[in-house]
Amino acid sequence: MRTDTSATPTTVLRKDYTVPAFLVDTVDMGFDLDPAATRIATRITMRRNPASGSKEIVLFGEELELVQLRLNGKQLKPGQYQLEAGKLRIASAPAKVVLEIETLTSPEKNTSLMGLYVSNGNFFTQCEAEGFRKITYFPDRPDVMAKYTVMLRADKKKYPVLLSNGNLIEEGDLADGRHYAKWEDPFKKPSYLFALVAGNLVCQEQKYTLKSGREVLLQVWVEDGNLDKTQHAMDSLINSIRWDEERFGLELDLDRFMIVAVGDFNMGAMENKGLNIFNTKYVLANPRIATDVDYANIEAVVGHEYFHNWTGNRVTCRDWFQLSLKEGLTVFRDQEFSADMVGTDSGRAVKRIDDVRVLRQAQFPEDAGPMAHSVRPDSYVEINNFYTVTIYEKGAEVVRMYQTLFGRDGFRKGMDLYFERHDGQAVECDDFRAAMVDANGRDLSQFERWYSQAGTPRVRVQSKYDSAKKTYELTLTQTCAPTPGQAKKLPFHIPVAVGLLDSKGKDMPLRLQADGKGKANTETTRVLELTKAEQTFRFVEVAEQPVPSILRNFSAPVVLDVEYSDAELAFLLAHDSDPFNRWEAGQRLATRSLLVLTAAVQDASQAGHVVALQDVLNNAASNSGALGEAFGLILNDAALDAAFRELALTLPSETLLAEQTEVIDPQAIHTSRQYLRGKLGQALKDDLLAAYHANQTPGAYSPDAEASGKRALKNVALSYLIQADDEAAHALAQQQYDNANNMTDRLAALVALTNSSAPGKAAALEKFYEDFAQEALVIDKWFALQATAYTADVAAIRALSEHPAFTLKNPNRARSLIFSFCSGNPVNFHAVDGSGYEFWADQVIALNGVNPQVAARLARSLDRWRKYAPALQEKMRAALQRVAAAPDLSKDVLEVIGKALAN
Ligand code: TRP
Ligand code: ZN
């Protein structure tokens, strides 16, 4: 029986929260693991919660067979309990209760990858958010925390390794070739942090001594044959442990910490107490199979899950509306960790730019679309749909603003107080804010709106210099567009970091009128606190007309409207001491050119003029000369890190450009961007070639920031040269493909070839497949690079979906082809005949039957359908409606499609 589907799914409201009627002290579980039918015996000791008036026990359970139910030793018969709509209720239970529950589940039939499932013959669990209820009946909510003891029993040959949370306290052999292992987790935890792994796995392990002198055992578990790919994950784990001790004084609280890699996984990784389970994509790496980006992602995700041990596990969420309490904070921590691992100021800036790009490309559109929600939402239908860029990335920005306001030391004080108050508790976002505020002695009540209001604020800047009075005024105004269910927005508390550049490009000393006389201020960046709809800040003793550098280091998650001339942008790009704003100036300059080109292409096609497109573009591109000059300066500035130069030379993506147009025209955007890339490639040809050769990384591969930066710059140079359609560039790419000693260079060369007219491209694609047929993660790359090729039309993607190596059942593979196409190839996905949308609808419907969580992610590809021209809108609406009408839709997909059609 499927209990996760229904025609009218219920909406869960934050305001309906009530404390649990019963608290759980201990949970003892016994698993008899069998892929077809696993028997689970659970013994729960519970007692009435004095804070609740209710005597009713409510347990959740889904897709389970209930074999037996006993209360205080007595078997309960149907009638003594109610079983309905995924809930098991026992009406009037005594003050102290021991429940004994026996359930049966079929892991091999579980394609949702939630609860207990089989992947490549091994057992894994995934319980966040509400997967534990697919294992047994339980008060499966994060504010019910208990101590767990787990006995695992399985065939010893097939499943030699048996793992669960905490410490291994006993193991041994049983009859019939079976064996057992008993695990005890010394810490209270919510059920979503429960985990088990059983199977044929091997590990890299090592002992590590904490600062306190205590020794811990670290393990990275993988399938046999992958031990040559675990070193980087182990290094990242050790770095994470050390970093959390140094930066936040937080120590690993267990004697044993395990990471396990699994090939079938819905998301990136999961922070189960002491037993983190990871998508193989975020564990396995060696130079042959992993790119620089993979290496960086592994470090970030290993850090992220490890940091959850304190921010998430020791202090957890009261309810799922508080998800960003742990996710926003932990993303902020992993961002800071990655930045500190590079160490240099420019390295930190590169990381910051990368993170802001993700925010703008994915979160800003979410905030502007039908699924817009605040960092602490007020309602949801399916909680799995709320593991979003808003909860994670915008949540991290909100946490970062405390640090911007209070400084690193003030932030640390707030963290210390948070743990002092809440260790071992399940709390709310408000509790985190209170700790930050109390530790720093400031009233921050208005800051709460970052948690309650959805939408991206827009800050408009106007400036006035008075040369007689030597004053400079910045007037900031803020607005925020309505979002579904939230028409009216109140002003946010926005920290706006500002610097002023003199005519030589140097930072000016900053004195605000509000500072008063006397105290000298040597800071050249000031954080202005915008709290009203409009506010004016007056700088005094400003010797000359400055060029303002506003929102330095992206001090708040807002859109900044400021009118710069092309010359001012080029000036900022050349001189700003804030590397983020330096990059930003270049992006603004490029965006300006691209939007002019896009409008020209649209005008030409709408007017039906019989003008050659090339002429239209050439005319409109007259102002792109300045951009070419500015890019040339950056490209040739050897004082700048290669990684920074690569970011500065990369044009805003088509998706990002789309968001900045009134009505999205994917074809015109693509045409313009490709044209400008080609033009830049021609104009800067010699410099690009020189940079290509100057940034080679001979010798053994290392993923460090300097080497990976060089590869990035070299490869972006190659992509421009290829875009200029230079035959010499084809040869260069082919040569790079043949000689590469690492996946970063090999893949970059293959992408370049695939997006060129080079004669060798088909052969290279074929060879790549053959060489890496045994490496699932590389075959994912093979699908993804074809799915995002400019030449890949819907028919080509359909053909690839028939490839024997393709399957929807494996989320990584589904993402590599289907998601890459639907969200990473706008010009082909939005084919004017609507065939992309038909393909999308087919895949959403197919995935819905396999894995609702992953299907709902794909369903979001059409979120922004109302922003396209009417002809495309109609085709998108039809596709959405076809999905909406499909039978047996999960509530995951229903929620997404329902909201898209409603808003
Ligand atoms: N809590 C996990 C993290 O951010 C992610 C997660 C949530 C997850 N739900 C999941 C992972 C379901 C896999 C499947 O680190
Ligand atoms: Zn997380």
Side-chain angles (χ1 to χ4, degrees):
M1 179 186 65
R2 292 192 61 169
T3 48
D4 60 334
T5 59
S6 75
T8 49
T10 48
T11 299
V12 187
L13 301 178
R14 184 167 63 87
K15 68 172 175 54
D16 286 349
Y17 175 83
T18 54
V19 298
F22 278 76
L23 302 175
V24 177
D25 291 312
T26 61
V27 181
D28 292 274
M29 307 185 80
F31 287 80
D32 285 294
L33 292 163
D34 182 311
T38 289
R39 186 175 295 267
I40 303 142
T42 309
R43 188 171 183 275
I44 310 170
T45 60
M46 19 180 22
R47 62 193 150 84
R48 268 189 216 149
N49 182 0
S52 163
S54 168
K55 296 175 179 175
E56 185 184 42
I57 294 177
V58 181
L59 310 175
F60 299 91
E62 278 173 16
E63 290 164 50
L64 289 172
E65 187 180 322
L66 180 60
V67 181
Q68 175 106 242
L69 176 61
R70 273 194 295 269
L71 187 148
N72 291 342
K74 289 206 187 84
Q75 191 174 327
L76 293 188
K77 308 222 159 53
Q80 295 174 293
Y81 63 91
Q82 279 70 51
L83 193 50
E84 196 186 288
K87 283 183 190 157
L88 192 161
R89 296 167 185 275
I90 302 168
S92 187
K96 287 193 167 185
V97 170
V98 177
L99 278 182
E100 290 165 283
I101 305 168
E102 226 178 284
T103 50
L104 269 176
T105 168
S106 180
E108 72 185 3
K109 292 212 188 97
N110 181 359
T111 58
S112 72
L113 312 184
M114 294 296 291
L116 178 64
Y117 66 94
V118 174
S119 170
N120 205 16
N122 299 321
F123 292 99
F124 297 88
T125 56
Q126 172 56 41
C127 292
E128 187 178 3
E130 298 177 336
F132 194 72
R133 63 189 63 182
K134 298 176 90 174
I135 295 173
T136 189
Y137 288 91
F138 196 77
D140 185 17
R141 41 186 288 173
D143 57 351
V144 173
M145 299 168 81
K147 280 195 183 179
Y148 285 67
T149 309
V150 177
M151 171 69 98
L152 302 175
R153 285 178 292 262
D155 185 275
K156 190 172 180 177
K157 260 224 183 71
K158 284 193 197 133
Y159 312 104
V161 175
L162 305 173
L163 309 174
S164 190
N165 316 87
N167 301 314
L168 177 64
I169 54 172
E170 216 185 301
E171 61 184 332
D173 290 335
L174 297 165
D176 307 326
R178 292 167 70 77
H179 71 145
Y180 74 92
K182 193 173 182 185
W183 292 80
E184 187 180 69
D185 185 348
F187 291 93
K188 277 171 53 180
K189 66 166 175 285
S191 51
Y192 83 85
L193 291 174
F194 167 84
L196 75 79
V197 171
N200 191 4
L201 299 167
V202 292
C203 82
Q204 174 178 354
E205 66 177 2
Q206 83 174 70
K207 293 202 167 133
Y208 179 76
T209 307
L210 304 176
K211 266 191 164 175
S212 65
R214 192 160 55 84
E215 197 175 72
V216 294
L217 177 64
L218 309 178
Q219 297 179 320
V220 179
W221 291 90
V222 296
E223 283 179 12
D224 206 359
N226 280 335
L227 277 178
D228 61 338
K229 307 185 185 86
T230 52
Q231 188 61 48
H232 182 62
M234 180 62 91
D235 292 343
S236 300
L237 177 59
I238 290 168
N239 288 336
S240 304
I241 294 173
R242 192 181 305 120
W243 183 84
D244 221 7
E245 288 179 333
E246 284 171 2
R247 176 92 182 250
F248 287 110
L250 298 171
E251 188 184 69
L252 174 57
D253 55 10
L254 292 160
D255 297 329
R256 177 180 181 132
F257 193 88
M258 298 172 278
I259 286 176
V260 188
V262 56
D264 296 285
F265 203 67
N266 283 348
M267 308 246 268
M270 179 63 212
E271 70 263 26
N272 317 298
K273 186 79 186 188
L275 181 60
N276 288 357
I277 299 181
F278 275 61
N279 188 324
T280 44
K281 182 173 164 59
Y282 297 109
V283 175
L284 304 180
N286 64 28
R288 195 177 103 87
I289 67 154
T291 62
D292 293 333
V293 171
D294 293 326
Y295 274 86
N297 287 341
I298 289 168
E299 178 179 79
V301 178
V302 168
H304 181 96
E305 306 312 329
Y306 176 75
F307 303 142
H308 266 315
N309 192 49
W310 279 94
T311 50
N313 301 3
R314 288 289 287 255
V315 182
T316 196
C317 302
R318 186 193 73 165
D319 56 67
W320 293 117
F321 298 105
Q322 317 299 327
L323 182 57
S324 197
L325 171 76
K326 75 176 177 79
E327 295 305 346
L329 176 54
T330 304
V331 170
F332 169 73
R333 274 152 55 70
D334 83 54
Q335 289 176 347
E336 288 289 277
F337 164 64
S338 294
D340 285 348
M341 284 300 107
V342 183
T344 62
D345 281 354
S346 59
R348 296 188 74 83
V350 166
K351 170 67 178 153
R352 183 73 186 126
I353 291 165
D354 269 334
D355 293 338
V356 174
R357 280 211 299 202
V358 171
L359 189 81
R360 286 180 173 159
Q361 167 127 344
Q363 199 278 325
F364 284 12
E366 179 164 272
D367 244 348
M371 277 287 287
H373 54 278
S374 56
V375 163
R376 184 197 53 205
D378 292 316
S379 69
Y380 60 76
V381 171
E382 169 53 63
I383 184 57
N384 284 332
N385 287 335
F386 284 79
Y387 286 75
T388 60
V389 274
T390 298
I391 301 297
Y392 278 67
E393 270 70 28
K394 186 175 182 180
E397 293 299 321
V398 171
V399 171
R400 182 176 294 277
M401 285 191 282
Y402 292 112
Q403 184 170 276
T404 301
L405 289 166
F406 300 143
R408 263 201 198 200
D409 292 344
F411 186 81
R412 169 67 193 268
K413 277 193 225 154
M415 288 285 279
D416 290 350
L417 186 59
Y418 176 62
F419 292 115
E420 195 184 307
R421 284 180 178 172
H422 301 299
D423 188 13
Q425 298 175 9
V427 303
E428 295 175 80
C429 296
D430 276 344
D431 295 307
F432 183 78
R433 185 166 53 89
M436 280 291 154
V437 164
D438 294 349
N440 288 282
R442 272 203 57 181
D443 174 21
L444 223 60
S445 40
Q446 190 184 341
F447 197 82
E448 198 261 348
R449 289 178 194 156
W450 283 112
Y451 292 94
S452 58
Q453 296 188 148
T456 309
R458 286 191 94 91
V459 175
R460 213 179 122 64
V461 182
Q462 279 162 306
S463 63
K464 201 166 82 193
Y465 181 63
D466 185 328
S467 58
K469 293 195 186 127
K470 302 282 180 230
T471 59
Y472 182 70
E473 281 182 1
L474 283 177
T475 298
L476 308 181
T477 52
Q478 58 166 311
T479 54
C480 183
T483 52
Q486 242 184 23
K488 203 174 145 37
K489 310 283 181 181
L490 296 167
F492 291 85
H493 184 152
I494 305 175
V496 183
V498 170
L500 302 179
L501 275 67
D502 69 17
S503 50
K504 296 204 181 71
K506 293 271 170 296
D507 276 323
M508 301 170 95
L510 299 182
R511 185 188 285 275
L512 282 162
Q513 189 165 53
D515 293 345
K517 295 251 181 301
K519 89 167 189 181
N521 202 327
T522 52
E523 288 167 75
T524 52
T525 298
R526 293 290 295 268
V527 177
L528 309 178
E529 296 188 31
L530 174 62
T531 54
K532 305 199 182 84
E534 177 174 327
Q535 242 165 299
T536 297
F537 299 86
R538 177 180 290 157
F539 292 92
V540 295
E541 298 162 31
V542 183
E544 57 174 311
Q545 164 91 48
V547 177
S549 167
I550 300 167
L551 207 71
R552 282 185 158 176
N553 204 34
F554 199 69
S555 59
V558 302
V559 173
L560 187 69
D561 287 325
V562 46
E563 278 155 32
Y564 284 120
S565 66
D566 283 1
E568 284 173 321
L569 288 175
F571 181 78
L572 287 167
L573 176 59
H575 298 295
D576 201 330
S577 68
D578 182 68
F580 180 87
N581 267 0
R582 236 183 132 166
W583 168 80
E584 179 82 328
Q587 295 295 296
R588 280 179 190 269
L589 208 51
T591 302
R592 199 168 280 180
S593 291
L594 286 161
L595 294 180
V596 169
L597 286 167
T598 303
V601 174
Q602 283 180 298
D603 282 351
S605 67
Q606 270 159 23
H609 283 164
V610 202
V611 264
L613 185 58
Q614 207 58 32
D615 292 340
V616 171
L617 285 162
N618 286 338
N619 279 335
S622 54
N623 60 348
S624 71
L627 184 69
E629 245 168 67
F631 271 30
L633 286 176
I634 292 287
L635 178 60
N636 295 325
D637 187 346
L640 290 171
D641 278 0
F644 179 84
R645 285 187 275 164
E646 187 269 335
L647 288 174
L649 295 173
T650 300
L651 296 179
S653 69
E654 291 175 23
T655 305
L656 209 55
L657 290 164
E659 286 295 324
Q660 303 192 43
T661 58
E662 203 57 44
V663 176
I664 303 175
D665 182 341
Q667 319 297 325
I669 290 170
H670 177 74
T671 304
S672 315
R673 189 171 182 277
Q674 291 298 82
Y675 169 82
L676 187 59
R677 279 169 46 74
K679 202 161 156 74
L680 289 169
Q682 283 155 9
L684 300 172
K685 188 169 160 187
D686 295 343
D687 293 337
L688 288 164
L689 209 54
Y692 182 86
H693 290 299
N695 287 281
Q696 298 291 321
T697 51
Y701 171 85
S702 158
D704 67 77
E706 197 190 325
S708 66
K710 284 185 173 179
R711 278 187 290 273
L713 179 56
K714 174 192 67 187
N715 288 324
V716 81
L718 178 64
S719 83
Y720 273 111
L721 291 167
I722 284 275
Q723 189 67 40
D725 205 27
D726 181 319
E727 270 178 35
H730 297 169
L732 218 52
Q734 186 66 52
Q735 202 179 29
Q736 176 170 322
Y737 183 86
D738 293 336
N739 299 335
N741 75 343
N742 64 79
M743 181 51 80
T744 305
D745 285 340
R746 178 155 287 131
L747 189 65
L750 189 57
V751 169
L753 288 171
T754 305
N755 288 293
S756 77
S757 55
K761 66 184 195 178
L765 267 175
E766 208 170 305
K767 180 162 181 355
F768 187 87
Y769 185 87
E770 280 163 19
D771 288 350
F772 295 101
Q774 300 313 310
E775 299 288 354
L777 294 171
V778 182
I779 298 306
D780 290 340
K781 296 182 195 302
W782 184 79
F783 277 107
L785 84 95
Q786 294 180 81
T788 51
Y790 310 132
T791 48
D793 57 11
V794 178
I797 305 302
R798 279 205 191 265
L800 277 168
S801 73
E802 306 286 313
H803 190 282
F806 185 76
T807 170
L808 278 181
K809 290 212 167 113
N810 176 260
N812 285 357
R813 193 56 52 85
R815 285 185 277 256
S816 74
L817 181 64
I818 315 291
F819 288 57
S820 295
F821 178 68
C822 296
S823 55
N825 196 342
V827 68
N828 290 301
F829 178 59
H830 296 282
V832 289
D833 63 1
S835 57
Y837 312 142
E838 279 162 36
F839 174 73
W840 166 86
D842 294 342
Q843 303 302 323
V844 173
I845 292 167
L847 258 175
N848 173 70
V850 176
N851 187 327
Q853 200 177 338
V854 176
R857 300 255 154 187
L858 182 63
R860 296 204 46 194
S861 315
L862 291 194
D863 265 14
R864 298 292 277 142
W865 68 282
R866 289 179 198 271
K867 212 173 149 58
Y868 291 78
L872 284 180
Q873 269 195 37
E874 275 320 304
K875 296 191 165 79
M876 287 191 238
R877 188 210 301 275
L880 283 159
Q881 282 168 339
R882 179 151 75 85
V883 174
D888 298 325
L889 279 192
S890 59
K891 64 177 177 174
D892 308 55
V893 173
L894 268 178
E895 177 173 31
V896 170
I897 299 290
K899 286 181 175 166
L901 283 169
N903 297 293

